[in-house]
Amino acid sequence: MDIRELKKLENKRKMNKGYMWALFCAILWGIWYIPGTIIWAVPPFDSMWVAIDATHGGSMATIAVALLISAFNALTVIAALLIWNGYLGKFGEMKRTLKEFHPCSKWFFLASIFGGPIAILGSFIAIGFIGAGFAAVAALLYPVIGSVLARQWYGEQISKRAWMGILVIIVGGLTIFVGGAITEITSGSINYIGYIGGLMAALGWGIEGAIAGKGLDIAEPDVGITIRFIGEASIYWIILIPIFALVGYPMFEYALAAFNPLSIIVLGFAGITFGYCYVSWYKSFPLIGVGRGQGIGNLYGLCAVIFMYLFMAQVPAWTVLVGGALCVLGSFVMISEETGDAESLRGE
């Protein structure tokens, strides 16, 4: 066997490992929507919504509760990731990465802006206004954004087959958003803020993936994702929640009330599933590229719909199911090229 064949075989092994990590991400991400839905009915978040609804209206109540849930989600993810990094003995690497701000950690802090207050908060807003099924499927457009940006910013290769998959995902996204909006308009009402939340999730996760791909050129995924969530938690607890509190929302009162056994269990479940989902997601990028990693990770939408039906008996609207099926089909088209033929993830 010559050097070229050995290189091709090693590349195939690397990409198969990357696909495995991306599949783990999809499964854990789909499970996350279960605690992400349950937490809305758990004290004090249920009573928080009622209290704010009485003074500021239902829409602002939903946004304020989504913000506080997102902030706690970030904290529980950090706890899970610190345990993970401690087990791997990577605290020294984390300290080194934090010190290297300009070439390395700045990318993860930038990713935290798009992945946290835009993507994750947007997803919780979509859950609050429309439902978990819509929230999960609405973000399935994100591989399109991630793939295009990764190509533009650092030359990540996109094959013709991957472009075909991107077009199918776009059609699926239009079915989810436009089809769903038309259905709601004909029924006399539309939760437009929920649709904005879904769009925030798709844009945020797509941009985050492309940014994180740059940081992962230097940093280890386990460390990089922890820094990214530290950045997200800082944005919530230092900037956004104090702003909401200053304008009259009882954010800190209900934040303290959230330290009760039931909410800690549900939030802990969310932190574990989402934390290790993100670890898997970031580990896939250096192995198979942002476009492919996001493409196979897109199966989380299918997983979420299945888990929500099995455990919570929730069935999304037909536009969500059709659009989601198209997005999953597009993801399979994106990743279906022969892995051994892709000798480089990026252009020369």
Side-chain angles (χ1 to χ4, degrees):
M1 187 178 293
D2 60 20
I3 294 176
R4 181 176 289 274
E5 286 297 317
L6 285 171
K7 184 179 178 181
K8 189 174 181 180
L9 181 61
E10 177 59 28
N11 190 64
K12 187 169 185 177
R13 287 174 179 167
K14 183 185 76 170
M15 297 193 76
N16 286 339
K17 187 177 180 181
Y19 286 136
M20 178 195 71
W21 281 116
L23 183 60
F24 284 159
C25 165
I27 295 169
L28 290 167
W29 199 342
I31 295 172
W32 173 72
Y33 283 93
I34 297 174
T37 301
I38 293 172
I39 194 63
W40 289 81
V42 171
F45 301 103
D46 55 350
S47 57
M48 178 183 179
W49 190 93
V50 173
I52 298 177
D53 175 45
T55 56
H56 296 82
S59 294
M60 287 309 302
T62 304
I63 292 172
V65 174
L67 174 59
L68 190 59
I69 291 174
S70 300
F72 272 106
N73 182 73
L75 290 181
T76 54
V77 168
I78 290 171
L81 292 177
L82 287 176
I83 293 171
W84 174 252
N85 279 278
Y87 173 76
L88 296 175
K90 291 188 176 180
F91 285 140
E93 178 67 19
M94 190 179 302
K95 183 179 178 181
R96 184 192 69 81
T97 305
L98 280 168
K99 284 183 177 180
E100 299 294 331
F101 181 78
H102 181 70
C104 187
S105 58
K106 70 175 183 182
W107 297 110
F108 298 116
F109 282 112
L110 187 59
S112 72
I113 296 172
F114 291 96
I118 296 178
I120 294 176
L121 178 58
S123 189
F124 274 117
I125 288 172
I127 291 173
F129 278 96
I130 300 178
F134 169 80
V137 177
L140 292 178
L141 278 167
Y142 82 91
V144 175
I145 297 154
S147 297
V148 172
L149 290 179
R151 178 180 174 83
Q152 291 296 318
W153 289 348
Y154 41 83
E156 185 170 292
Q157 293 184 9
I158 304 177
S159 65
K160 290 182 180 179
R161 185 182 292 272
W163 279 116
M164 288 174 57
I166 285 172
L167 289 175
V168 176
I169 293 173
I170 290 173
V171 173
L174 290 173
T175 304
I176 295 165
F177 282 92
V178 178
I182 291 173
T183 300
E184 287 203 9
I185 290 171
T186 55
S187 67
S189 65
I190 178 169
N191 290 310
Y192 66 92
I193 299 179
Y195 284 93
I196 293 173
L199 190 59
M200 286 168 61
L203 288 171
W205 275 317
I207 296 170
E208 178 194 357
I211 294 171
K214 188 69 174 176
L216 291 169
D217 284 344
I218 303 172
E220 292 188 2
D222 307 289
V223 171
I225 187 56
T226 308
I227 295 172
R228 172 250 181 271
F229 269 97
I230 290 172
E232 177 183 342
S234 300
I235 294 169
Y236 289 137
W237 292 102
I238 297 175
I239 301 174
L240 295 180
I241 286 181
I243 288 174
F244 268 65
L246 285 173
V247 297
Y249 293 91
M251 305 301 288
F252 290 110
E253 173 189 340
Y254 285 99
L256 291 173
F259 289 95
N260 66 77
L262 183 56
S263 65
I264 289 173
I265 289 172
V266 177
L267 287 168
F269 182 30
I272 291 169
T273 54
F274 208 50
Y276 298 133
C277 141
Y278 250 95
V279 166
S280 303
W281 202 45
Y282 271 39
K283 278 182 177 292
S284 73
F285 292 161
L287 296 170
I288 56 177
V290 173
R292 293 184 186 91
Q294 291 189 338
I296 195 74
N298 226 20
L299 292 172
Y300 86 87
L302 175 63
C303 294
V305 170
I306 292 171
F307 292 140
M308 293 301 294
Y309 175 74
L310 291 176
F311 295 102
M312 303 189 72
Q314 291 189 8
V315 180
W318 71 268
T319 52
V320 173
L321 292 174
V322 173
L326 287 171
C327 288
V328 171
L329 175 62
S331 295
F332 275 117
V333 173
M334 278 185 73
I335 64 170
S336 60
E337 79 265 33
E338 176 58 44
T339 57
D341 292 339
E343 293 191 4
S344 175
L345 294 175
R346 299 186 182 178
E348 300 298 329

